[in-house]
Amino acid sequence: MSAALVQKATETQLDQPPEVGVAQLATISLLLQYDIDNTLNALKEHKKMTLDARLGGELPVAVNNNQDKDINRNLSEQTELEEDLGLKSRESAFMPPTPPATPNLQSTAQKRWKILAKVLRKDSEETVSSSSDEFAEEQTASVRRFKSFDLLRQDSFEDHVSLKCLGKTENWYKYRMQLENESEYSVNIHHMERQLTASDLMGFNNTGNICVWPSEEALTALVLSEVASYRGKWILELGGGFTSLAGLMLAKYATPYAVHLTDGNEISVENVRKTVCLNELSCYTKCSVLKWQEKCARSQAEQAKFDFILCADCLFFDEARSALVDTIWYYLAPEGSALIMAPRRGRTLSVFQDECVARGFRVELATRYNETIWQRHLQLKADSALYDEDLHYPLLLRLCKSHS
């Protein structure tokens, strides 16, 4: 496949101006990086599962030894190819160390994290009951009182044969979304086996490890409702959490040119890599750790490359907001569009909007961007005492680079 791409590009260059040929070669080089990255992930994941199966007594030792030799040989060949292409430094740049915990959280944010920690210790996603005097004050700070717009259905995974090489059956789920046009979309999602603790929640980049937030659900519904717009495009998802649901759905159904799924948390990215292994995607798809504040870790090959950037509910912390704006500017193509989905949360959204304008973006704010979500929003406002529009209804910001 890669050789065919290079041959095709070489033939095309004969009929193109020099600068066009250089751009084509740069694109091919980037796609080779995507391809090698995914091949390595699949090989490493398969080796890990093979070793786990051996320890569990599920596979004969003789067979395992032969498989290990084949896998080690493949990994060695891939490593040599990485070194030839100069990808070792790129990989280390994409995997910087985890930053220290975000300091000086405001009292409301601290209460939210305490609620989440208690929920996780109870091994449940349900909000702690407000009838308890112990949690009465903290309950007012919880953003999990409202869980979703009921557009996603989560089912147990059915294909147990495929799961034998990718982990435990009980950790895999099929996420389904049916839109108003009666089209149904689904992806296979791996749930992390690792039990989260309160300490896991202390960094700014860990929120996506907990659940699928309403903004992510709304963003997924939005992009699927206009799925044809993403055909043949470069797509980047920022802060995708443990599912990167919107980007993953587009990688499967939109036939884009390439999709890059990123998050600032290593645990989330590791989980998305497992997920990618068990979905039939329609394009080059890459998973990476990307910390917005670390400019030196940004890929020069991907600067101004992406036609669409997706981002759901990533405006929690003041410390990360400016870095997010700068990251979007760096990766967005001159004629590209960034879709930012987030609730108002007081002045949080408006402050982010102001920073985008100051950076040079043209910003459009949309309230009624999807009719299904809008009608569900109106119903919840009328019927649910737990639904708070300021905290729970995601608004859509469309960012484009301004041109003089």
Side-chain angles (χ1 to χ4, degrees):
M1 178 270 298
S2 300
L5 281 174
V6 174
Q7 180 180 358
K8 181 179 179 181
T10 304
E11 294 172 352
T12 305
Q13 285 183 71
L14 298 177
D15 301 322
Q16 298 289 347
E19 60 273 13
V20 176
V22 171
Q24 289 175 335
L25 285 178
T27 296
I28 291 170
S29 175
L30 183 55
L31 291 178
L32 284 172
Q33 294 177 15
Y34 276 48
D35 203 36
I36 292 169
D37 181 82
N38 286 335
T39 301
L40 283 170
N41 290 337
L43 288 168
K44 291 173 183 176
E45 186 65 27
H46 180 65
K47 181 178 182 180
K48 179 179 181 298
M49 294 304 172
T50 301
L51 293 175
D52 290 345
R54 178 195 298 175
L55 293 174
E58 298 176 10
L59 295 175
V61 174
V63 174
N64 285 330
N65 286 337
N66 290 333
Q67 288 178 338
D68 283 351
K69 290 178 181 178
D70 292 340
I71 292 169
N72 286 328
R73 182 169 61 254
N74 289 333
L75 285 173
S76 177
E77 292 172 356
Q78 291 293 336
T79 302
E80 292 175 3
L81 183 55
E82 275 189 328
E83 292 173 347
D84 291 342
L85 293 174
L87 297 181
K88 281 295 184 181
S89 59
R90 176 188 61 82
E91 183 69 17
S92 61
F94 265 97
M95 297 288 187
T98 305
T102 304
N104 301 324
L105 297 178
Q106 298 300 315
S107 58
T108 299
Q110 288 175 328
K111 292 175 183 177
R112 290 172 181 168
W113 293 124
K114 289 173 68 177
I115 280 286
L116 287 170
K118 288 170 183 173
V119 168
L120 290 169
R121 284 199 296 271
K122 290 177 179 293
D123 197 27
S124 168
E125 285 188 353
E126 297 293 339
T127 307
V128 179
S129 171
S130 59
S131 61
S132 170
D133 292 337
E134 179 185 357
F135 301 130
E137 180 183 3
E138 293 169 359
Q139 183 72 12
T140 62
S142 172
V143 296
R144 262 327 247 179
R145 293 176 296 168
F146 166 71
K147 295 184 68 173
S148 78
F149 291 101
D150 294 328
L151 299 179
L152 277 175
R153 189 169 77 249
Q154 179 181 310
D155 300 325
S156 297
F157 196 79
E158 301 139 5
D159 186 0
H160 297 273
V161 176
S162 298
L163 291 174
K164 287 184 178 179
C165 65
L166 288 171
K168 298 180 180 179
T169 303
E170 60 268 24
N171 291 339
W172 284 95
Y173 295 86
K174 186 174 289 291
Y175 279 45
R176 305 178 189 271
M177 178 172 284
Q178 186 167 349
L179 302 182
E180 55 189 5
N181 60 6
E182 298 187 354
S183 297
E184 182 177 276
Y185 303 88
S186 67
V187 288
N188 307 316
I189 298 291
H190 182 264
H191 282 201
M192 290 172 295
E193 186 174 1
R194 181 180 187 272
Q195 293 296 314
L196 297 176
T197 64
S199 61
D200 291 317
L201 301 177
M202 291 309 295
F204 76 89
N205 57 2
N206 288 289
T207 56
N209 279 319
I210 302 165
C211 55
V212 176
W213 298 95
S215 292
E216 186 176 7
E217 180 186 21
L219 181 60
T220 302
L222 173 67
V223 297
L224 288 177
S225 68
E226 48 192 36
V227 67
S229 303
Y230 301 90
R231 185 179 301 275
K233 304 298 185 181
W234 285 80
I235 299 170
L236 171 67
E237 181 162 8
L238 299 174
F242 84 99
T243 65
S244 291
L245 190 61
L248 187 65
M249 284 284 194
L250 289 180
K252 183 174 181 178
Y253 290 103
T255 321
Y257 198 66
V259 172
H260 194 171
L261 307 174
T262 72
D263 192 76
N265 181 269
E266 288 86 350
I267 300 172
S268 290
V269 173
E270 178 184 351
N271 195 71
V272 175
R273 284 176 175 150
K274 292 178 183 289
T275 293
V276 165
C277 290
L278 203 63
N279 283 279
E280 295 182 5
L281 305 181
S282 63
C283 66
Y284 294 90
T285 305
K286 180 180 174 65
C287 310
S288 297
V289 174
L290 179 61
K291 302 181 190 297
W292 307 329
Q293 77 279 21
E294 296 188 2
K295 296 183 179 181
C296 62
R298 295 173 182 170
S299 168
Q300 294 183 0
E302 292 180 316
Q303 183 176 6
K305 190 72 177 179
F306 293 95
D307 303 293
F308 289 97
I309 294 180
L310 312 177
C311 187
D313 217 346
C314 292
L315 312 182
F316 279 106
F317 295 101
D318 295 338
E319 293 85 351
R321 194 176 298 129
S322 296
L324 174 58
V325 173
D326 193 56
T327 299
I328 295 171
W329 184 272
Y330 180 89
Y331 285 104
L332 189 64
E335 303 298 329
S337 178
L339 308 181
I340 313 299
M341 193 76 75
R344 289 191 185 277
R345 284 202 186 91
R347 296 189 64 250
T348 299
L349 187 68
S350 62
V351 171
F352 176 79
Q353 185 174 352
D354 291 342
E355 290 199 32
C356 289
V357 173
R359 185 63 178 84
F361 283 111
R362 186 172 68 256
V363 182
E364 296 178 4
L365 176 64
T367 303
R368 192 170 178 170
Y369 48 83
N370 179 277
E371 194 60 28
T372 300
I373 295 176
W374 178 253
Q375 293 302 325
R376 177 65 174 145
H377 161 65
L378 295 179
Q379 179 185 354
L380 287 163
K381 281 184 66 176
D383 300 340
S384 176
L386 299 178
Y387 184 74
D388 184 337
E389 179 177 2
D390 182 70
L391 292 177
H392 300 137
Y393 182 66
L395 301 179
L396 173 65
L397 290 178
R398 290 184 183 268
L399 311 180
C400 300
K401 290 183 176 179
S402 299
H403 301 288
S404 56

